[in-house]
């Protein structure tokens, strides 16, 4: 899945509340946790993910994710690695 398609999927899930079909199989917390793990951070058992509207920029969605063992700020930047910061 390309980065732009992943971001579109996350936005569709977050904005539209998709409840059925293939997109409903993964929640935003699961998708964002996968991004975090791909960049080498630990994210065991994601608990929640919420959109950080204040930190978001045009074309860059910002999220806060809480995992069982850590919390991260995640900025999804098209065409680049996600900016991930523990908090």
């Amino acid at each position: 899945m390309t980065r732009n398609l992943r971001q579109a999927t996350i936005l569709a899930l977050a904005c539209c509340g998709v409840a059925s079909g293939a997109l409903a199989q993964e929640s935003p917390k699961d998708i964002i946790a996968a991004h975090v793990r791909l960049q080498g951070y630990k994210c065991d058992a994601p608990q929640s993910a919420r959109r950080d509207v204040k930190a978001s920029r045009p074309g860059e969605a910002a999220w806060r994710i809480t995992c069982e063992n850590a919390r991260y700020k995640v900025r999804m930047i098209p065409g680049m690695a996600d900016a991930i910061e523990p908090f």
Side-chain angles (χ1 to χ4, degrees):
M1 188 181 281
T2 67
R3 179 173 296 281
N4 289 339
L5 182 55
R6 283 191 303 249
Q7 289 176 342
T9 301
I10 290 169
L11 290 175
L13 288 168
C15 298
C16 304
V18 176
S20 64
L23 293 178
Q25 293 176 2
E26 288 189 291
S27 67
K29 70 179 180 183
D30 295 322
I31 295 169
I32 295 166
H35 281 244
V36 169
R37 288 186 206 110
L38 282 172
Q39 290 188 227
Y41 293 90
K42 286 197 163 228
C43 184
D44 299 331
Q47 306 296 311
S48 66
R50 69 175 178 84
R51 182 81 185 267
D52 188 342
V53 177
K54 288 185 179 183
S56 293
R57 299 177 185 164
E60 296 181 9
W63 293 81
R64 291 180 182 246
I65 184 167
T66 301
C67 306
E68 183 176 76
N69 56 332
R71 296 184 312 161
Y72 301 100
K73 295 177 186 177
V74 179
R75 180 182 310 279
M76 305 182 93
I77 304 167
M80 297 177 63
D82 300 329
I84 300 173
E85 175 185 339
F87 76 99

